[in-house]
Amino acid sequence: MKRGTRLLCVIVLCLLGAAILIPFFSSLVTLAHVVDVGRPTPHVLLVAASIALVIFIVWYRMYVSVWWEDRRRHNPQAHDLDVLVHRLEQAADNAFRVAASAEAVGISGRRVRRAGRVALRAQKAVSELTWVRRHIDMQPPPMNVEDMQTAQTARSVVLRNGWRTLDRTLSVVSEANALVMAEVRHRSRSAAATLTPRVSWAVRGLIYAAAKLLPAPYSGRYHEEWLSLLYEVPRRIGRVRQTLSLLLGTPRLWWTLRRSSKGDLDHWIT
Amino acid sequence: MVKGPRMTRQTQAVLRQALVEPAREWYGLEMVWATGLPSGTVYPIISRLERCGWILSRWEDPAEHEAEGRPRRRYYRLSADGAEHARLALAKARQTRTVPVPWGSLRPGTPGATQ
């Protein structure tokens, strides 16, 4: 916090304190005046009203806190239910989304079908849990121990089923999601491979030069073969490495090709 | 008959890889990735093996590469004789692999003395 802001806060707090303390002392003075005069002045009425307001606020806060405590004591699983409902809703949404994207991508595997089924099951569990949650809100607190135990057991069963459904949904969603993502990645890679000219002109030039160093009958074949090789190397650094390696290997290849017999030539070139 | 290729370690690696599935066709980059050798090493070896007749090659059919939208590949495969020769050559190379000489045997003896 900056120094100026801190100073401003102190001034505001001082003013507030003064605003509280000044009426308090003035009310004491006024009460003494009432006792002396025998009738209430407007100032006294205002002070009485503010005191009543403060008492009401304190009472209300106490009442609300007591009510919350009471509710929590009688419904210990309410908070868990809230959390579970929220997480299940999210999981069901994710499962539906994954199933929809799988359909859009065109995957129709076992895992994707399972994701769709699980999404439906999660949604059903959500509605069940929401119903139980409303029931908890509307139900009066149990009057005896037996009622309380029965209610708690029933809720525990629902909660346990809900958590199990959530676990199953999450695992299936992650599996199906991985499948969809792998397919999407594969397709985007293929699309990129189809659409983008990936071998740069510099690499093409080097390959052309390397192929030209070979004996003339083999030059065309190796030029085409090496270009197709570089076309399938995924990263630029990999293509550069392969190009350098091919350049370094060209003298050895030239030596091998130079020694090859004339009779084999036709088979080689075609 | 052309003399067999020199069985260097790299040649052995290429042959061993090709012999995993002798009937299967493969292309240069596939062999590069499978053996971990640089392409500048693999291509001279392939050309040597091809010169010996151990390996046959052909260009990819247009229908295959046009469908995938890429340049055509040169496919290679072991010939029937080549597979047999390669097996024998690898077995021979394994037998004649030099055994490391123990340090004690390198000590010079007295001239004329029998050990």
Side-chain angles (χ1 to χ4, degrees), chain B residues 23-78:
Chain B
R24 195 173 143 262
E25 286 187 316
W26 40 269
Y27 54 98
L29 187 64
E30 206 178 346
M31 184 54 78
V32 167
W33 279 336
T35 54
L37 296 169
S39 48
T41 307
V42 169
Y43 273 100
I45 290 171
I46 290 174
S47 69
R48 246 182 276 142
L49 293 173
E50 203 176 358
R51 188 170 63 92
C52 299
W54 291 18
I55 280 178
L56 302 175
S57 68
R58 69 167 178 95
W59 282 112
E60 190 181 16
D61 290 335
E64 291 175 37
H65 71 87
E66 278 169 11
E68 293 180 29
R70 55 171 173 72
R72 63 177 176 164
R73 294 169 180 160
R74 183 92 179 177
Y75 277 116
Y76 300 93
R77 73 176 166 81
L78 279 173

Short mmCIF file of all heavy atoms in Angstrom, two decimals, chain B residues 23-78:
data_model
loop_
_atom_site.label_atom_id
_atom_site.label_comp_id
_atom_site.label_asym_id
_atom_site.label_seq_id
_atom_site.Cartn_x
_atom_site.Cartn_y
_atom_site.Cartn_z
N ALA B 23 10.10 -59.53 -46.35
CA ALA B 23 9.20 -59.32 -47.50
C ALA B 23 8.65 -57.90 -47.55
O ALA B 23 8.06 -57.50 -48.55
CB ALA B 23 8.06 -60.31 -47.44
N ARG B 24 8.84 -57.17 -46.48
CA ARG B 24 8.23 -55.85 -46.40
C ARG B 24 9.06 -54.81 -47.16
O ARG B 24 10.29 -54.88 -47.15
CB ARG B 24 8.13 -55.43 -44.93
CG ARG B 24 7.21 -54.28 -44.70
CD ARG B 24 7.00 -54.02 -43.23
NE ARG B 24 6.92 -52.59 -43.02
CZ ARG B 24 7.92 -51.81 -42.63
NH1 ARG B 24 9.05 -52.32 -42.30
NH2 ARG B 24 7.75 -50.51 -42.50
N GLU B 25 8.35 -53.87 -47.78
CA GLU B 25 9.06 -52.79 -48.49
C GLU B 25 9.27 -51.62 -47.53
O GLU B 25 8.42 -51.35 -46.68
CB GLU B 25 8.24 -52.33 -49.69
CG GLU B 25 8.27 -53.31 -50.83
CD GLU B 25 7.60 -52.76 -52.07
OE1 GLU B 25 6.52 -52.16 -51.92
OE2 GLU B 25 8.14 -52.93 -53.16
N TRP B 26 10.36 -50.92 -47.70
CA TRP B 26 10.65 -49.76 -46.87
C TRP B 26 11.29 -48.68 -47.74
O TRP B 26 11.80 -48.97 -48.81
CB TRP B 26 11.56 -50.13 -45.69
CG TRP B 26 12.65 -51.09 -46.02
CD1 TRP B 26 12.59 -52.45 -45.93
CD2 TRP B 26 13.97 -50.78 -46.53
NE1 TRP B 26 13.78 -53.01 -46.35
CE2 TRP B 26 14.64 -52.01 -46.70
CE3 TRP B 26 14.63 -49.60 -46.83
CZ2 TRP B 26 15.94 -52.09 -47.18
CZ3 TRP B 26 15.93 -49.67 -47.29
CH2 TRP B 26 16.58 -50.90 -47.46
N TYR B 27 11.24 -47.46 -47.23
CA TYR B 27 11.87 -46.37 -47.99
C TYR B 27 13.02 -45.80 -47.18
O TYR B 27 13.20 -46.15 -46.00
CB TYR B 27 10.85 -45.30 -48.36
CG TYR B 27 10.05 -44.74 -47.24
CD1 TYR B 27 10.41 -43.54 -46.64
CD2 TYR B 27 8.93 -45.40 -46.76
CE1 TYR B 27 9.68 -43.01 -45.60
CE2 TYR B 27 8.19 -44.88 -45.71
CZ TYR B 27 8.58 -43.68 -45.14
OH TYR B 27 7.85 -43.17 -44.11
N GLY B 28 13.81 -44.95 -47.81
CA GLY B 28 15.07 -44.50 -47.22
C GLY B 28 14.94 -43.89 -45.84
O GLY B 28 15.64 -44.26 -44.91
N LEU B 29 13.96 -42.98 -45.71
CA LEU B 29 13.80 -42.29 -44.43
C LEU B 29 13.39 -43.26 -43.32
O LEU B 29 13.80 -43.11 -42.17
CB LEU B 29 12.76 -41.17 -44.57
CG LEU B 29 12.61 -40.27 -43.37
CD1 LEU B 29 13.89 -39.48 -43.12
CD2 LEU B 29 11.46 -39.30 -43.56
N GLU B 30 12.61 -44.25 -43.70
CA GLU B 30 12.18 -45.26 -42.73
C GLU B 30 13.40 -45.99 -42.17
O GLU B 30 13.51 -46.23 -40.97
CB GLU B 30 11.25 -46.23 -43.45
CG GLU B 30 10.27 -46.92 -42.54
CD GLU B 30 9.36 -47.84 -43.33
OE1 GLU B 30 9.33 -47.74 -44.57
OE2 GLU B 30 8.70 -48.68 -42.69
N MET B 31 14.32 -46.32 -43.06
CA MET B 31 15.54 -47.02 -42.64
C MET B 31 16.41 -46.10 -41.78
O MET B 31 17.00 -46.53 -40.80
CB MET B 31 16.30 -47.50 -43.87
CG MET B 31 17.53 -48.31 -43.58
SD MET B 31 17.24 -49.71 -42.51
CE MET B 31 16.53 -50.90 -43.62
N VAL B 32 16.44 -44.81 -42.17
CA VAL B 32 17.22 -43.84 -41.39
C VAL B 32 16.70 -43.78 -39.97
O VAL B 32 17.45 -43.81 -39.00
CB VAL B 32 17.15 -42.44 -42.07
CG1 VAL B 32 17.66 -41.36 -41.15
CG2 VAL B 32 17.94 -42.44 -43.35
N TRP B 33 15.37 -43.70 -39.83
CA TRP B 33 14.78 -43.62 -38.50
C TRP B 33 14.93 -44.93 -37.73
O TRP B 33 15.16 -44.93 -36.53
CB TRP B 33 13.30 -43.25 -38.62
CG TRP B 33 13.08 -41.79 -38.82
CD1 TRP B 33 13.93 -40.80 -38.45
CD2 TRP B 33 11.96 -41.16 -39.43
NE1 TRP B 33 13.41 -39.57 -38.81
CE2 TRP B 33 12.21 -39.76 -39.40
CE3 TRP B 33 10.77 -41.61 -40.00
CZ2 TRP B 33 11.30 -38.83 -39.91
CZ3 TRP B 33 9.88 -40.69 -40.50
CH2 TRP B 33 10.14 -39.32 -40.46
N ALA B 34 14.81 -46.05 -38.45
CA ALA B 34 14.85 -47.35 -37.77
C ALA B 34 16.25 -47.66 -37.25
O ALA B 34 16.40 -48.20 -36.16
CB ALA B 34 14.38 -48.44 -38.71
N THR B 35 17.26 -47.32 -38.04
CA THR B 35 18.63 -47.68 -37.63
C THR B 35 19.29 -46.58 -36.80
O THR B 35 20.24 -46.85 -36.08
CB THR B 35 19.52 -47.93 -38.86
OG1 THR B 35 19.43 -46.79 -39.72
CG2 THR B 35 19.08 -49.16 -39.61
N GLY B 36 18.78 -45.37 -36.92
CA GLY B 36 19.39 -44.26 -36.19
C GLY B 36 20.66 -43.76 -36.87
O GLY B 36 21.41 -42.96 -36.30
N LEU B 37 20.93 -44.23 -38.07
CA LEU B 37 22.12 -43.79 -38.80
C LEU B 37 21.77 -42.55 -39.61
O LEU B 37 20.61 -42.37 -40.00
CB LEU B 37 22.59 -44.89 -39.75
CG LEU B 37 23.06 -46.19 -39.12
CD1 LEU B 37 23.24 -47.25 -40.18
CD2 LEU B 37 24.37 -45.97 -38.38
N PRO B 38 22.76 -41.70 -39.90
CA PRO B 38 22.46 -40.52 -40.74
C PRO B 38 22.15 -40.94 -42.18
O PRO B 38 22.64 -41.98 -42.64
CB PRO B 38 23.73 -39.68 -40.66
CG PRO B 38 24.75 -40.53 -40.06
CD PRO B 38 24.12 -41.67 -39.38
N SER B 39 21.37 -40.12 -42.85
CA SER B 39 20.95 -40.49 -44.20
C SER B 39 22.13 -40.54 -45.16
O SER B 39 22.14 -41.31 -46.12
CB SER B 39 19.89 -39.52 -44.70
OG SER B 39 20.31 -38.21 -44.46
N GLY B 40 23.15 -39.73 -44.87
CA GLY B 40 24.35 -39.75 -45.71
C GLY B 40 25.13 -41.05 -45.60
O GLY B 40 25.96 -41.37 -46.45
N THR B 41 24.88 -41.81 -44.53
CA THR B 41 25.51 -43.12 -44.37
C THR B 41 24.63 -44.21 -44.97
O THR B 41 25.13 -45.16 -45.57
CB THR B 41 25.73 -43.41 -42.87
OG1 THR B 41 26.44 -42.33 -42.31
CG2 THR B 41 26.48 -44.70 -42.64
N VAL B 42 23.31 -44.04 -44.79
CA VAL B 42 22.39 -45.10 -45.21
C VAL B 42 22.32 -45.22 -46.73
O VAL B 42 22.34 -46.33 -47.27
CB VAL B 42 20.98 -44.85 -44.60
CG1 VAL B 42 19.95 -45.77 -45.24
CG2 VAL B 42 21.02 -45.06 -43.10
N TYR B 43 22.29 -44.08 -47.42
CA TYR B 43 22.11 -44.16 -48.89
C TYR B 43 23.27 -44.84 -49.61
O TYR B 43 23.03 -45.68 -50.49
CB TYR B 43 21.81 -42.77 -49.46
CG TYR B 43 20.34 -42.49 -49.40
CD1 TYR B 43 19.79 -41.69 -48.41
CD2 TYR B 43 19.46 -43.07 -50.31
CE1 TYR B 43 18.44 -41.47 -48.32
CE2 TYR B 43 18.10 -42.85 -50.23
CZ TYR B 43 17.60 -42.04 -49.24
OH TYR B 43 16.26 -41.84 -49.17
N PRO B 44 24.53 -44.54 -49.26
CA PRO B 44 25.61 -45.30 -49.91
C PRO B 44 25.53 -46.80 -49.63
O PRO B 44 25.79 -47.62 -50.51
CB PRO B 44 26.88 -44.70 -49.30
CG PRO B 44 26.50 -43.34 -48.90
CD PRO B 44 25.08 -43.43 -48.47
N ILE B 45 25.12 -47.16 -48.40
CA ILE B 45 25.00 -48.59 -48.07
C ILE B 45 23.91 -49.23 -48.93
O ILE B 45 24.09 -50.31 -49.50
CB ILE B 45 24.67 -48.76 -46.56
CG1 ILE B 45 25.89 -48.37 -45.74
CG2 ILE B 45 24.26 -50.19 -46.26
CD1 ILE B 45 25.62 -48.29 -44.27
N ILE B 46 22.78 -48.53 -49.03
CA ILE B 46 21.68 -49.06 -49.84
C ILE B 46 22.12 -49.23 -51.29
O ILE B 46 21.84 -50.24 -51.94
CB ILE B 46 20.45 -48.14 -49.74
CG1 ILE B 46 19.84 -48.20 -48.35
CG2 ILE B 46 19.39 -48.54 -50.77
CD1 ILE B 46 18.71 -47.22 -48.14
N SER B 47 22.85 -48.23 -51.78
CA SER B 47 23.27 -48.32 -53.19
C SER B 47 24.26 -49.47 -53.38
O SER B 47 24.23 -50.16 -54.40
CB SER B 47 23.87 -46.99 -53.65
OG SER B 47 25.09 -46.77 -53.00
N ARG B 48 25.11 -49.69 -52.38
CA ARG B 48 26.06 -50.82 -52.47
C ARG B 48 25.31 -52.15 -52.48
O ARG B 48 25.59 -53.04 -53.29
CB ARG B 48 27.02 -50.76 -51.28
CG ARG B 48 28.45 -50.48 -51.69
CD ARG B 48 29.36 -50.48 -50.51
NE ARG B 48 29.36 -49.19 -49.83
CZ ARG B 48 29.42 -49.03 -48.52
NH1 ARG B 48 29.45 -50.07 -47.72
NH2 ARG B 48 29.43 -47.83 -48.00
N LEU B 49 24.34 -52.26 -51.59
CA LEU B 49 23.56 -53.51 -51.51
C LEU B 49 22.76 -53.71 -52.79
O LEU B 49 22.59 -54.84 -53.26
CB LEU B 49 22.62 -53.47 -50.30
CG LEU B 49 23.29 -53.48 -48.93
CD1 LEU B 49 22.26 -53.26 -47.84
CD2 LEU B 49 24.01 -54.79 -48.69
N GLU B 50 22.29 -52.62 -53.34
CA GLU B 50 21.51 -52.70 -54.58
C GLU B 50 22.41 -53.14 -55.74
O GLU B 50 22.01 -53.92 -56.61
CB GLU B 50 20.88 -51.33 -54.87
CG GLU B 50 19.66 -51.42 -55.74
CD GLU B 50 19.00 -50.07 -55.93
OE1 GLU B 50 19.48 -49.08 -55.34
OE2 GLU B 50 18.01 -50.02 -56.67
N ARG B 51 23.63 -52.63 -55.71
CA ARG B 51 24.59 -53.00 -56.76
C ARG B 51 24.90 -54.49 -56.71
O ARG B 51 25.09 -55.15 -57.73
CB ARG B 51 25.87 -52.18 -56.59
CG ARG B 51 26.86 -52.32 -57.72
CD ARG B 51 27.96 -51.30 -57.57
NE ARG B 51 28.72 -51.49 -56.33
CZ ARG B 51 29.82 -52.22 -56.25
NH1 ARG B 51 30.30 -52.82 -57.31
NH2 ARG B 51 30.48 -52.35 -55.12
N CYS B 52 24.94 -55.01 -55.47
CA CYS B 52 25.21 -56.45 -55.31
C CYS B 52 23.99 -57.30 -55.65
O CYS B 52 24.08 -58.53 -55.68
CB CYS B 52 25.62 -56.75 -53.88
SG CYS B 52 27.10 -55.92 -53.40
N GLY B 53 22.84 -56.69 -55.78
CA GLY B 53 21.62 -57.45 -56.07
C GLY B 53 20.93 -57.99 -54.83
O GLY B 53 20.03 -58.81 -54.92
N TRP B 54 21.33 -57.50 -53.66
CA TRP B 54 20.69 -57.98 -52.43
C TRP B 54 19.37 -57.24 -52.20
O TRP B 54 18.52 -57.71 -51.48
CB TRP B 54 21.60 -57.75 -51.22
CG TRP B 54 22.81 -58.61 -51.20
CD1 TRP B 54 23.34 -59.29 -52.26
CD2 TRP B 54 23.63 -58.88 -50.08
NE1 TRP B 54 24.45 -59.98 -51.87
CE2 TRP B 54 24.66 -59.75 -50.53
CE3 TRP B 54 23.64 -58.49 -48.75
CZ2 TRP B 54 25.66 -60.23 -49.69
CZ3 TRP B 54 24.63 -58.95 -47.91
CH2 TRP B 54 25.64 -59.81 -48.37
N ILE B 55 19.29 -56.05 -52.77
CA ILE B 55 18.11 -55.21 -52.56
C ILE B 55 17.52 -54.83 -53.91
O ILE B 55 18.26 -54.53 -54.85
CB ILE B 55 18.52 -53.95 -51.75
CG1 ILE B 55 18.62 -54.29 -50.26
CG2 ILE B 55 17.53 -52.82 -51.95
CD1 ILE B 55 19.04 -53.12 -49.42
N LEU B 56 16.20 -54.83 -53.98
CA LEU B 56 15.50 -54.38 -55.18
C LEU B 56 14.77 -53.08 -54.84
O LEU B 56 14.40 -52.88 -53.67
CB LEU B 56 14.48 -55.43 -55.64
CG LEU B 56 15.03 -56.81 -55.95
CD1 LEU B 56 13.90 -57.77 -56.26
CD2 LEU B 56 16.02 -56.75 -57.12
N SER B 57 14.55 -52.26 -55.85
CA SER B 57 13.86 -50.99 -55.56
C SER B 57 12.85 -50.68 -56.65
O SER B 57 12.97 -51.18 -57.78
CB SER B 57 14.87 -49.86 -55.42
OG SER B 57 15.46 -49.60 -56.67
N ARG B 58 11.89 -49.84 -56.28
CA ARG B 58 10.89 -49.39 -57.26
C ARG B 58 10.34 -48.04 -56.79
O ARG B 58 10.40 -47.73 -55.59
CB ARG B 58 9.75 -50.40 -57.38
CG ARG B 58 8.88 -50.48 -56.15
CD ARG B 58 7.59 -51.23 -56.38
NE ARG B 58 6.82 -51.30 -55.13
CZ ARG B 58 5.86 -50.45 -54.80
NH1 ARG B 58 5.56 -49.44 -55.59
NH2 ARG B 58 5.21 -50.58 -53.65
N TRP B 59 9.80 -47.27 -57.74
CA TRP B 59 9.14 -46.02 -57.38
C TRP B 59 7.72 -46.33 -56.89
O TRP B 59 7.12 -47.30 -57.36
CB TRP B 59 9.06 -45.06 -58.56
CG TRP B 59 10.35 -44.34 -58.85
CD1 TRP B 59 11.14 -44.52 -59.94
CD2 TRP B 59 10.98 -43.36 -58.04
NE1 TRP B 59 12.23 -43.70 -59.86
CE2 TRP B 59 12.16 -42.97 -58.71
CE3 TRP B 59 10.69 -42.76 -56.82
CZ2 TRP B 59 13.04 -42.02 -58.20
CZ3 TRP B 59 11.56 -41.80 -56.30
CH2 TRP B 59 12.72 -41.46 -56.99
N GLU B 60 7.23 -45.50 -56.01
CA GLU B 60 5.88 -45.69 -55.48
C GLU B 60 4.83 -45.45 -56.57
O GLU B 60 5.06 -44.60 -57.46
CB GLU B 60 5.67 -44.69 -54.34
CG GLU B 60 4.43 -44.89 -53.52
CD GLU B 60 4.32 -43.83 -52.44
OE1 GLU B 60 5.02 -42.81 -52.53
OE2 GLU B 60 3.53 -44.04 -51.51
N ASP B 61 3.72 -46.16 -56.48
CA ASP B 61 2.64 -45.95 -57.47
C ASP B 61 2.06 -44.54 -57.31
O ASP B 61 1.91 -44.06 -56.18
CB ASP B 61 1.51 -46.96 -57.24
CG ASP B 61 1.97 -48.36 -57.62
OD1 ASP B 61 2.89 -48.45 -58.44
OD2 ASP B 61 1.43 -49.33 -57.06
N PRO B 62 1.71 -43.90 -58.42
CA PRO B 62 1.17 -42.53 -58.32
C PRO B 62 -0.10 -42.46 -57.47
O PRO B 62 -0.31 -41.48 -56.75
CB PRO B 62 0.86 -42.16 -59.77
CG PRO B 62 1.67 -43.07 -60.59
CD PRO B 62 1.88 -44.32 -59.81
N ALA B 63 -0.93 -43.50 -57.53
CA ALA B 63 -2.20 -43.47 -56.79
C ALA B 63 -1.95 -43.33 -55.29
O ALA B 63 -2.69 -42.63 -54.60
CB ALA B 63 -2.99 -44.74 -57.07
N GLU B 64 -0.87 -43.98 -54.81
CA GLU B 64 -0.61 -43.97 -53.36
C GLU B 64 -0.17 -42.59 -52.88
O GLU B 64 -0.72 -42.05 -51.92
CB GLU B 64 0.47 -44.99 -53.03
CG GLU B 64 0.04 -46.43 -53.20
CD GLU B 64 1.20 -47.39 -52.97
OE1 GLU B 64 2.02 -47.12 -52.08
OE2 GLU B 64 1.28 -48.38 -53.71
N HIS B 65 0.83 -42.02 -53.58
CA HIS B 65 1.36 -40.75 -53.05
C HIS B 65 0.48 -39.56 -53.40
O HIS B 65 0.41 -38.58 -52.65
CB HIS B 65 2.80 -40.53 -53.49
CG HIS B 65 2.98 -40.22 -54.95
ND1 HIS B 65 2.90 -38.95 -55.44
CD2 HIS B 65 3.23 -41.01 -56.01
CE1 HIS B 65 3.12 -38.97 -56.74
NE2 HIS B 65 3.31 -40.22 -57.11
N GLU B 66 -0.24 -39.66 -54.51
CA GLU B 66 -1.13 -38.55 -54.86
C GLU B 66 -2.30 -38.45 -53.89
O GLU B 66 -2.77 -37.35 -53.56
CB GLU B 66 -1.66 -38.72 -56.29
CG GLU B 66 -0.65 -38.24 -57.33
CD GLU B 66 -1.04 -38.64 -58.73
OE1 GLU B 66 -2.18 -39.11 -58.93
OE2 GLU B 66 -0.19 -38.50 -59.63
N ALA B 67 -2.74 -39.60 -53.39
CA ALA B 67 -3.84 -39.59 -52.41
C ALA B 67 -3.41 -38.90 -51.13
O ALA B 67 -4.21 -38.24 -50.47
CB ALA B 67 -4.27 -41.02 -52.12
N GLU B 68 -2.14 -39.06 -50.79
CA GLU B 68 -1.64 -38.44 -49.55
C GLU B 68 -1.04 -37.06 -49.78
O GLU B 68 -0.62 -36.40 -48.82
CB GLU B 68 -0.61 -39.36 -48.89
CG GLU B 68 -1.24 -40.67 -48.40
CD GLU B 68 -0.22 -41.57 -47.74
OE1 GLU B 68 0.77 -41.06 -47.19
OE2 GLU B 68 -0.42 -42.79 -47.80
N GLY B 69 -0.96 -36.66 -51.04
CA GLY B 69 -0.47 -35.31 -51.35
C GLY B 69 0.98 -35.08 -51.02
O GLY B 69 1.34 -34.08 -50.42
N ARG B 70 1.84 -36.02 -51.39
CA ARG B 70 3.28 -35.86 -51.12
C ARG B 70 4.06 -36.41 -52.31
O ARG B 70 3.48 -37.13 -53.14
CB ARG B 70 3.66 -36.59 -49.83
CG ARG B 70 3.28 -38.03 -49.82
CD ARG B 70 3.84 -38.80 -48.66
NE ARG B 70 3.29 -40.13 -48.66
CZ ARG B 70 3.60 -41.09 -49.51
NH1 ARG B 70 4.48 -40.86 -50.46
NH2 ARG B 70 3.04 -42.28 -49.44
N PRO B 71 5.35 -36.10 -52.38
CA PRO B 71 6.16 -36.63 -53.49
C PRO B 71 6.30 -38.16 -53.39
O PRO B 71 6.13 -38.72 -52.30
CB PRO B 71 7.51 -35.96 -53.30
CG PRO B 71 7.34 -34.90 -52.31
CD PRO B 71 6.13 -35.21 -51.52
N ARG B 72 6.60 -38.77 -54.50
CA ARG B 72 6.68 -40.24 -54.47
C ARG B 72 7.95 -40.72 -53.78
O ARG B 72 8.99 -40.05 -53.82
CB ARG B 72 6.58 -40.80 -55.88
CG ARG B 72 7.69 -40.40 -56.79
CD ARG B 72 7.54 -41.06 -58.14
NE ARG B 72 8.58 -40.59 -59.05
CZ ARG B 72 8.87 -41.21 -60.18
NH1 ARG B 72 8.20 -42.27 -60.56
NH2 ARG B 72 9.81 -40.73 -60.96
N ARG B 73 7.84 -41.89 -53.16
CA ARG B 73 8.98 -42.48 -52.46
C ARG B 73 9.62 -43.54 -53.33
O ARG B 73 8.98 -44.08 -54.23
CB ARG B 73 8.50 -43.17 -51.17
CG ARG B 73 7.94 -42.26 -50.14
CD ARG B 73 7.27 -43.10 -49.07
NE ARG B 73 6.69 -42.29 -48.02
CZ ARG B 73 5.75 -42.73 -47.21
NH1 ARG B 73 5.27 -43.95 -47.33
NH2 ARG B 73 5.28 -41.95 -46.25
N ARG B 74 10.85 -43.84 -52.99
CA ARG B 74 11.52 -44.98 -53.62
C ARG B 74 11.47 -46.11 -52.59
O ARG B 74 11.99 -45.96 -51.48
CB ARG B 74 12.97 -44.62 -53.93
CG ARG B 74 13.74 -45.70 -54.63
CD ARG B 74 13.68 -45.54 -56.11
NE ARG B 74 14.44 -46.58 -56.79
CZ ARG B 74 14.50 -46.71 -58.09
NH1 ARG B 74 13.85 -45.89 -58.87
NH2 ARG B 74 15.21 -47.66 -58.66
N TYR B 75 10.82 -47.20 -52.96
CA TYR B 75 10.69 -48.31 -52.02
C TYR B 75 11.77 -49.36 -52.30
O TYR B 75 12.11 -49.63 -53.45
CB TYR B 75 9.31 -48.97 -52.17
CG TYR B 75 8.24 -48.26 -51.38
CD1 TYR B 75 7.17 -47.64 -52.02
CD2 TYR B 75 8.30 -48.22 -50.00
CE1 TYR B 75 6.19 -46.97 -51.29
CE2 TYR B 75 7.33 -47.56 -49.26
CZ TYR B 75 6.29 -46.95 -49.91
OH TYR B 75 5.33 -46.30 -49.19
N TYR B 76 12.26 -49.94 -51.21
CA TYR B 76 13.29 -50.98 -51.30
C TYR B 76 12.78 -52.23 -50.60
O TYR B 76 11.99 -52.14 -49.65
CB TYR B 76 14.58 -50.54 -50.61
CG TYR B 76 15.20 -49.29 -51.18
CD1 TYR B 76 14.88 -48.04 -50.66
CD2 TYR B 76 16.08 -49.36 -52.24
CE1 TYR B 76 15.44 -46.89 -51.19
CE2 TYR B 76 16.66 -48.20 -52.77
CZ TYR B 76 16.33 -46.98 -52.24
OH TYR B 76 16.87 -45.85 -52.76
N ARG B 77 13.29 -53.37 -51.05
CA ARG B 77 13.03 -54.61 -50.31
C ARG B 77 14.16 -55.59 -50.61
O ARG B 77 14.84 -55.48 -51.64
CB ARG B 77 11.68 -55.21 -50.66
CG ARG B 77 11.58 -55.84 -51.99
CD ARG B 77 10.21 -56.49 -52.21
NE ARG B 77 10.03 -56.79 -53.60
CZ ARG B 77 10.54 -57.86 -54.22
NH1 ARG B 77 11.27 -58.72 -53.52
NH2 ARG B 77 10.33 -58.07 -55.50
N LEU B 78 14.33 -56.55 -49.71
CA LEU B 78 15.38 -57.55 -49.91
C LEU B 78 14.93 -58.52 -50.99
O LEU B 78 13.76 -58.95 -50.99
CB LEU B 78 15.60 -58.32 -48.62
CG LEU B 78 16.48 -57.68 -47.56
CD1 LEU B 78 16.44 -58.51 -46.29
CD2 LEU B 78 17.92 -57.57 -48.04
#
